[in-house]
Amino acid sequence: MNTLKRIIDTLLAGVCAVLFASLVLLVTWQVFTRFLLDNPSAFSEELATYCFVWLVLFGTALVFGENGHMAMDFIKNRFPLRLKMAVEIAIQLCVIAFAAMVMVRGGLSSASLAWNQATGSIQIPLGILYLALPISGALIIFYSVYSILQIVRLGRPLEDIPGAVRPEVAE
Amino acid sequence: ACGSAAGGEDGGATKTLKVAFNQPEGHPQFVAMEELGEKLNERTGGAYDIQVFPNELLGSQQETITGVQSGSIDMSIVVGSLMENVNPDFVAFDLPYVFESSEQQMSVLNDPEITGDLYSSMEEQGIHVAGAFHSGVRNVYTKDKAVPTPSDLSGQKIRVIQNDTMVEMMNLMGGVGTAMGQGDVYTAIQSGVLDGGENNELIYNGLKHDEVAPHYTYTQHLMVPDYLIVNSDLYEGMSEEHRAVFEEEFAAAVDSEVALWETSVEEAKAAAEEAGAEFHEIDTAPFKEAVQPLVDSKLEGSDEARKLYDAAQAAK
Amino acid sequence: MDIATTLALVLLFGVVTLLALGAPIAIGIGLASAAAMMVGLGPENGMQTSAQRMFTGTTSFTLLAIPFFILAGVIMNNGGISRRLVDAAKVLSGRLPGSLAHTNVVANMMFGSISGSGVASAAAVGGTMGPMQAKEGYRAEFSAATNIASAPAGLLIPPSNTLIVYSLVSGTSIAALFLAGYLPGILWGLATMVVVAVYAWRRKLKAQSPGSLRAGLKVLLDAVPSLLLIVIVIGGIVGGVFTATEGSAIAVVYALLLSFVYRTIKVRELPSILIESTKITAAVMILIGVSSIMSWVMSYAGIPDLIASTLLGITDNTVMILILMNIVLLLVGTFMDPTPAVLIFTPIFLPIALGFGMDPVHFGIMIVFNLCIGTITPPVGPVLFVGARIAGLRIESVIRSLLPYFAVLVATLMVVTFVPALSLWLPGVAGLMP
Ligand code: NA
Ligand code: NA
């Protein structure tokens, strides 16, 4: 399981880096075409927008892998050890519930409803773009199951497990 | 989901149809839909009512199509170009110079003889098309001078919707089509990044573009309709009697919307003139000729679309 | 119980419970909203519509400016650009009593003028200024509080991610909002400097020994290429030469080129810079995604109308309504981040404000100023969290020192609310107010 997590972490980070780099190139290209070639491109704008949504969804999974989404934990931190562990497991179950119901289940039905809807300029079926939701959702579920197993196996709250919680990132 | 059994006169609950709309309250289509709701409520003995959610409160037009499909939204008003994404044949009624007047447009689009299978083509995907609303005529407005002929547009950067077809259309008309989000257009014209834009009179005046681009030329290049789409299960679930009332009252709403639109255009023109704008009537024939290659290429793939286009032309 | 009340209760109870337990804020908002959606629309449609909202809520070319400004910020932190700005701030405010604390404020304002984020500012500036102040005998709690209180000024001084989000929901021009943010943002900084001045006077703090004029000039000159970024990017956006998204991409390219010139960033470090920026971007954008679920379900249930009519039922006096709105927003800001709060509350309050003739640009500055105060209040205060952690202090111990800052900031909020010219004068001069 640890090896699998490392592989997924690396893959996900790689995909995100590529998506972000493509975004920079696409928008820079758009500025370039508008100013220097006098030939504005509507295509790059749409493609960039969808790269961006994918980046956000995969990036979200990446941050869940580090338990790094912003949370207020000062109440939880005053709980006795066992209660704290129980609460942490409950939180992971909430994450799983959201990822399973909204991202996987809802994402799949959104994808199938929009399967025949083309997007404006690039004419990719919108349904395919929606698939980022269930994929990211499945990864988040994996990470949460992994976190629960760690709490149970090591008998410690996530916070006391080295590397399980990264400092939260926020804007 | 809620209140699937519509009763009304026998004391059942009123089914409030939720309508997604992207424009503000006070827009002719909003007013017409509210009127439709009142009439529907009255004539179905309280079985149905309508609640319109303006300002994209229920999501962008693109999203609301899916919402109507799944039934989480009952109805939505959606622009023709987005309907093309569901059924490409809708392109026939979105092409430049396909209609000459709002009357002709409405009579064609609300005539089952002409629209044929187009409106029922998406029932399996959950979409019933009730019909079309007029949504204005797009014309070019510019900063420095009027543009009575394609050569006057030469070299002028005109803002168009972010869509390659629109860019191509403006290029054929003689200008340089420049795709840009609407929020940036005012400043872009002011600073000279753009030389103008193209839109109907309501938006021209509403966004105060009349202040920075005072020459409004009636090129009349586009008259893209908006469609009222309804969740097909909901529509089929209506009793025949209620459905007949709905159809009758929708037809009345279309007429009243066209009238409201005309009044709004007169008001917008007066306000724009107050702000210093000038309106120029021109002969549109050279522009029409210029965009013909685009029309032909768009109709190329589909016999069905060609048939619809020809029928609209014949109805002039 | 009618559907609006049911959904409102599901939302409120769900969010409060989940956040109190310590669930990620995105899950608190997202799960509670999805639950309300499922109650209102049935499970199948509820899940589908929630998913769609989450997806489309982030589908916008305008919002794309946010990851670029974040990336530019990360590059500038790694590339020595931020350090040059802090050095320049030291020269500019070095002659005032309590100069190190003043420098902290000025550095936060300068940092804010190249970055769209308050947290980044608190971390970068606090990290360098804190130890210097400790050496000069400033109380650690005071230093941390000064850093925390002044960091959000950068959320008003353009570029500003929160103003970009407001522009999107309100349909107002980003260029006008950016210009409108300058004076209130500077006023925010000056307000915190008043507290510093009083502290310095009471504790008889000294000014730093002024360095030589030559050395000072050299530091300022050194910061010029970094400051030029503001002129190019903000100037270009405000002047309408390019859009905010295009401007943000130019900021990335410029910061990258400058870092290559300074030889502070190597090409092989780029992947890790992109991944770090992805994480910050995702943490912000996921909140926008789940807030889109919440705003949909609130509209569907008619909750905005309910709030609006309640507000208008209490009073029809414009001044009172504005004060009530500000109180509601301050409360909202204590437990909600500015970005989701702007997304959810703009559609509720803006129509009321427009109703009595308030300008939407002015309203935007008011709502963002208000919610920025929330970034430094518990229980959910990202700038407070980061600022305290950088200083190695517990949140409880910083809060006492923050109290005077809250007082002056709320007073400044009142000035921003009731003096429209403060927000509208600059965009008016630039001809951006149609
Ligand atoms: Na800023
Ligand atoms: Na707060």
Side-chain angles (χ1 to χ4, degrees):
Chain A
M1 192 110 177
N2 286 336
T3 328
L4 184 59
K5 178 169 188 285
R6 264 198 302 276
I7 295 173
I8 292 180
D9 283 346
T10 317
L11 268 179
L12 204 50
V15 169
C16 288
V18 169
L19 281 170
F20 212 142
S22 325
L23 265 185
V24 176
L25 293 176
L26 272 170
V27 179
T28 314
W29 168 250
Q30 169 155 329
V31 180
F32 180 75
T33 51
R34 197 150 77 73
F35 283 94
L36 302 175
L37 305 178
D38 215 22
N39 175 27
S41 150
F43 152 88
S44 59
E45 181 165 325
E46 195 178 310
L47 195 58
T49 309
Y50 288 113
C51 270
F52 176 42
V53 183
W54 280 48
L55 175 72
V56 170
L57 290 171
F58 292 137
T60 298
L62 192 66
V63 180
F64 270 113
E66 304 182 339
N67 287 301
H69 281 286
M70 195 166 68
M72 32 184 265
D73 45 15
F74 51 82
I75 300 183
K76 187 184 79 185
N77 288 346
R78 293 181 179 197
F79 290 162
L81 201 65
R82 296 199 74 85
L83 182 60
K84 192 170 164 186
M85 281 161 59
V87 168
E88 282 187 345
I89 291 176
I91 290 170
Q92 296 296 339
L93 291 174
C94 288
V95 175
I96 293 175
F98 180 79
M101 293 193 301
V102 174
M103 299 183 74
V104 176
R105 184 75 190 279
L108 284 174
S109 53
S110 287
S112 77
L113 277 173
W115 202 253
N116 293 316
Q117 267 186 57
T119 55
S121 279
I122 44 179
Q123 294 290 314
I124 298 175
L126 199 54
I128 291 184
L129 297 169
Y130 269 111
L131 286 183
L133 269 173
I135 297 172
S136 164
L139 292 171
I140 291 170
I141 294 173
F142 169 81
Y143 282 136
S144 285
V145 170
Y146 179 85
S147 292
I148 293 177
L149 288 179
Q150 270 198 313
I151 297 172
V152 173
R153 256 196 232 144
L154 301 174
R156 274 186 286 176
L158 275 179
E159 257 192 352
D160 303 339
I161 301 171
V165 183
R166 294 284 154 78
E168 67 205 9
V169 282
E171 58 162 332
Chain B
C2 41
S4 53
E9 51 249 88
D10 11 313
T14 299
K15 162 87 174 143
T16 299
L17 305 175
K18 306 210 174 209
V19 185
F21 187 50
N22 68 330
Q23 301 284 324
E25 292 150 273
H27 185 281
Q29 291 172 3
F30 181 91
V31 177
M33 286 304 293
E34 294 250 291
E35 280 174 17
L36 170 62
E38 275 167 38
K39 295 278 174 49
L40 197 63
N41 192 7
E42 207 176 287
R43 290 189 56 196
T44 59
Y48 288 98
D49 198 359
I50 279 178
Q51 185 186 5
V52 189
F53 291 76
N55 298 319
E56 293 195 343
L57 281 174
L58 297 185
S60 68
Q61 291 194 336
Q62 169 99 284
E63 278 178 84
T64 61
I65 296 178
T66 322
V68 169
Q69 281 180 279
S70 69
S72 51
I73 300 170
D74 301 309
M75 297 194 246
S76 178
I77 296 179
V78 176
V79 64
S81 45
L82 283 177
M83 296 302 292
E84 288 176 39
N85 294 339
V86 190
N87 179 350
D89 292 337
F90 273 90
V91 74
F93 299 139
D94 297 343
L95 291 170
Y97 298 105
V98 57
F99 301 116
E100 272 176 347
S101 65
S102 55
E103 290 78 18
Q104 181 218 354
Q105 183 193 35
M106 287 301 96
S107 65
V108 166
L109 292 180
N110 293 311
D111 179 355
E113 296 275 307
I114 299 180
T115 56
D117 299 332
L118 185 67
Y119 291 178
S120 53
S121 61
M122 297 163 300
E123 301 279 355
E124 266 181 32
Q125 286 157 267
I127 299 174
H128 169 82
V129 180
F133 278 123
H134 177 64
S135 187
V137 186
R138 296 177 84 99
N139 303 289
V140 173
Y141 50 86
T142 37
K143 191 176 177 148
D144 298 323
K145 60 179 171 77
V147 287
T149 67
S151 64
D152 292 303
L153 255 180
S154 169
Q156 302 227 39
K157 286 192 194 169
I158 305 297
R159 181 266 172 178
V160 293
I161 302 168
Q162 292 102 311
N163 172 318
D164 287 336
T165 308
M166 293 297 115
V167 172
E168 195 187 336
M169 177 197 69
M170 187 49 64
N171 293 349
L172 287 171
M173 286 171 72
V176 180
T178 305
M180 190 183 279
Q182 187 65 278
D184 303 307
V185 176
Y186 183 95
T187 335
I189 296 177
Q190 194 177 37
S191 68
V193 171
L194 287 176
D195 299 300
E198 50 90 50
N199 223 313
N200 62 48
E201 297 92 335
L202 305 192
I203 297 189
Y204 175 59
N205 173 246
L207 297 178
K208 315 240 163 143
H209 290 178
D210 46 12
E211 294 175 353
V212 286
H215 301 279
Y216 192 93
T217 309
Y218 276 102
T219 49
Q220 301 184 44
H221 52 280
L222 281 178
M223 200 188 294
V224 176
D226 288 328
Y227 295 91
L228 178 68
I229 60 172
V230 186
N231 174 266
S232 47
D233 288 340
L234 171 97
Y235 189 74
E236 266 148 41
M238 284 175 134
S239 71
E240 276 198 23
E241 180 198 341
H242 287 162
R243 214 183 296 159
V245 171
F246 179 80
E247 279 169 10
E248 254 171 57
E249 289 304 335
F250 175 70
V254 169
D255 290 342
S256 108
E257 193 262 350
V258 170
L260 283 165
W261 193 282
E262 272 168 22
T263 318
S264 305
V265 165
E266 286 316 312
E267 285 166 9
K269 274 177 81 168
E273 275 167 349
E274 189 100 338
E278 285 171 28
F279 291 85
H280 308 272
E281 296 284 351
I282 58 156
D283 173 20
T284 57
F287 285 108
K288 186 173 180 188
E289 203 174 312
V291 296
Q292 198 55 41
L294 176 70
V295 172
D296 292 335
S297 80
K298 284 281 158 187
L299 292 173
E300 217 160 74
S302 164
D303 293 341
E304 191 54 38
R306 168 61 78 178
K307 237 173 63 194
L308 292 168
Y309 180 80
D310 290 344
Q313 292 288 300
K316 277 182 184 170
Chain C
M1 196 158 45
D2 66 344
I3 191 79
T5 321
T6 314
L7 297 189
L9 285 178
V10 172
L11 268 180
L12 193 67
F13 178 76
V15 172
V16 170
T17 316
L18 287 165
L19 292 192
L21 276 179
I25 292 164
I27 294 297
I29 296 177
L31 194 57
S33 308
M37 194 82 111
M38 285 156 74
V39 171
L41 296 176
E44 192 58 42
N45 281 345
M47 288 188 277
Q48 184 269 319
T49 307
S50 300
Q52 189 183 6
R53 288 302 292 172
M54 192 176 157
F55 188 90
T56 49
T58 51
T59 313
S60 149
F61 191 68
T62 305
L63 290 180
L64 197 44
I66 294 176
F68 286 145
F69 280 129
I70 288 173
L71 175 59
V74 172
I75 294 173
M76 289 186 278
N77 269 344
N78 284 295
I81 296 174
S82 325
R83 187 183 50 76
R84 286 178 171 79
L85 290 178
V86 174
D87 289 347
K90 233 182 289 174
V91 173
L92 289 177
S93 47
R95 285 155 200 274
L96 296 166
S99 62
L100 281 178
H102 285 298
T103 299
N104 195 327
V105 175
V106 175
N108 268 328
M109 285 158 70
M110 290 178 81
F111 193 91
S113 67
I114 55 168
S115 130
S117 146
V119 170
S121 193
V125 177
T128 49
M129 292 305 300
M132 286 161 62
Q133 294 179 60
K135 233 183 271 168
E136 297 287 324
Y138 289 55
R139 251 180 46 240
E141 289 80 8
F142 171 76
S143 311
T146 308
N147 179 43
I148 291 165
S150 57
L155 288 166
L156 285 156
I157 299 172
S160 159
N161 295 345
T162 319
L163 286 176
I164 291 171
V165 173
Y166 176 78
S167 134
L168 191 75
V169 276
S170 64
T172 38
S173 140
I174 293 188
L177 284 167
F178 271 14
L179 268 186
Y182 269 115
L183 292 182
I186 292 171
L187 202 60
W188 179 302
L190 291 178
T192 55
M193 285 170 90
V194 168
V195 178
V196 172
V198 171
Y199 178 87
W201 173 71
R202 282 175 44 186
R203 308 256 313 207
K204 302 196 171 52
L205 290 178
K206 287 195 295 284
Q208 291 295 101
S209 55
S212 75
L213 193 62
R214 246 183 96 117
L217 273 179
K218 190 186 170 306
V219 169
L220 287 182
L221 271 180
D222 216 27
V224 165
S226 308
L227 290 171
L228 208 54
L229 182 78
I230 306 168
V231 178
I232 296 173
V233 174
I234 306 299
I237 295 170
V238 168
V241 183
F242 36 71
T243 64
T245 306
E246 291 172 341
S248 64
I250 292 171
V252 169
V253 173
Y254 185 96
L256 201 55
L257 290 179
L258 203 55
S259 303
F260 284 149
V261 171
Y262 290 154
R263 295 172 190 280
T264 41
I265 287 181
K266 298 184 188 68
V267 176
R268 65 180 155 76
E269 292 169 343
L270 288 181
S272 62
I273 285 179
L274 286 172
I275 291 165
E276 188 188 341
S277 306
T278 298
K279 290 176 188 167
I280 303 173
T281 302
V284 177
M285 294 301 304
I286 193 63
L287 285 177
I288 296 185
V290 294
S291 307
S292 306
I293 311 179
M294 192 180 217
S295 61
W296 197 99
V297 77
M298 285 176 73
S299 303
Y300 187 85
I303 296 171
D305 291 343
L306 204 71
I307 297 179
S309 59
T310 310
L311 200 61
L312 292 171
I314 297 173
T315 172
D316 55 1
N317 177 309
T318 309
V319 173
M320 280 310 292
I321 291 177
L322 278 172
I323 289 176
L324 281 175
M325 271 185 195
N326 271 306
I327 292 173
V328 173
L329 289 168
L330 281 170
L331 290 175
V332 165
T334 58
F335 67 88
M336 208 179 237
D337 225 28
T339 302
V342 161
L343 274 170
I344 291 162
F345 285 88
T346 302
I348 300 178
F349 287 159
L350 182 59
I352 303 178
L354 293 177
F356 54 73
M358 194 167 180
D359 187 276
V361 170
H362 176 211
F363 180 80
I365 299 300
M366 182 195 92
I367 190 171
V368 172
F369 194 108
N370 186 312
L371 294 168
C372 280
I373 297 178
T375 64
I376 58 173
T377 65
V380 179
V383 175
L384 171 64
F385 295 169
V386 170
R389 192 170 61 225
I390 289 285
L393 295 169
R394 287 187 324 146
I395 291 168
E396 292 87 332
S397 63
V398 182
I399 288 179
R400 267 186 73 91
S401 301
L402 266 174
L403 290 176
Y405 288 107
F406 288 136
V408 292
L409 289 174
V410 171
T412 313
L413 170 64
M414 288 297 115
V415 175
V416 169
T417 303
F418 293 108
V419 186
L422 208 53
S423 309
L424 301 180
W425 179 68
L426 264 184
V429 167
L432 290 175
M433 299 301 301

